[in-house]
Amino acid sequence: SGVYWSWNGGPREGRGAEALEKDGQISGGGGAGGGWDSIFENEQSAKVQNLDTTVDLFSTATTISGAQWPDPAAMSASPPPTLKIISSISKANIAREEDKRRSERPGLDVNGSKKEETAKDGTGSAAVITDTDKGVLSSIISETLTAEEKDAEKVAATVA
């Protein structure tokens, strides 16, 4: 999980003089001590983070226990079934999103080619600009021309 949990439980709590008489050893029902409030997220020590020590510990434990581990090369050649399922679901979702993206492009068909439209008057060519668009463009052009005419008049007046 990437989190190092520690426990600050209480076998050390309440040992008193009896523990000192036994060289600090707890015998009998010493109890585990500590509740949920004694579990906390902790930082790993430098010894725990040392890669050489980790490899040595793993190798020693494997030798002592006689454990046999699968070959990593064989493991990577065949992904686990869960990964195959997640992969196929992801591919299906990506394909569905791609289809949706392609279908929502006005003026283009699913393959990205320009759609062939026929005009309402049957002439075979569809109008690309609507009447509303023409009206908006016309007012923008006339405003621009009017502004330019005024600028030209100012320039003419200063030259004369």
Side-chain angles (χ1 to χ4, degrees), residues 2-82:
V3 178
Y4 181 68
W5 295 101
S6 292
W7 172 66
N8 196 14
R12 294 184 182 99
E13 297 172 4
R15 294 190 301 179
E18 182 183 348
L20 291 174
E21 293 170 6
K22 298 178 183 175
D23 293 326
Q25 298 299 314
I26 299 173
S27 61
W36 285 107
D37 57 336
S38 64
I39 298 172
F40 60 97
E41 188 176 337
N42 199 358
E43 297 293 322
Q44 293 180 338
S45 69
K47 287 183 180 179
V48 172
Q49 293 180 356
N50 185 315
L51 185 59
D52 293 332
T53 304
T54 304
V55 170
D56 289 344
L57 178 62
F58 181 80
S59 299
T60 303
T62 299
T63 302
I64 291 170
S65 66
Q68 296 180 358
W69 305 103
D71 180 25
M75 289 172 47
S76 64
S78 176
T82 306

Side-chain angles (χ1 to χ4, degrees), residues 2 8 14 20-21 38 49 54 62 66 76 86 88 91 99-100 102 105 113 120 129 138 145 147 151 155 159:
N8 196 14
L20 291 174
E21 293 170 6
S38 64
Q49 293 180 356
T54 304
T62 299
S76 64
I86 292 171
S88 62
K91 285 179 184 175
D99 289 343
K100 182 179 175 185
R102 287 183 177 198
R105 298 188 311 183
S113 301
K120 292 180 183 176
I129 300 176
S138 177
L145 289 176
D151 289 342
V155 170
V159 171

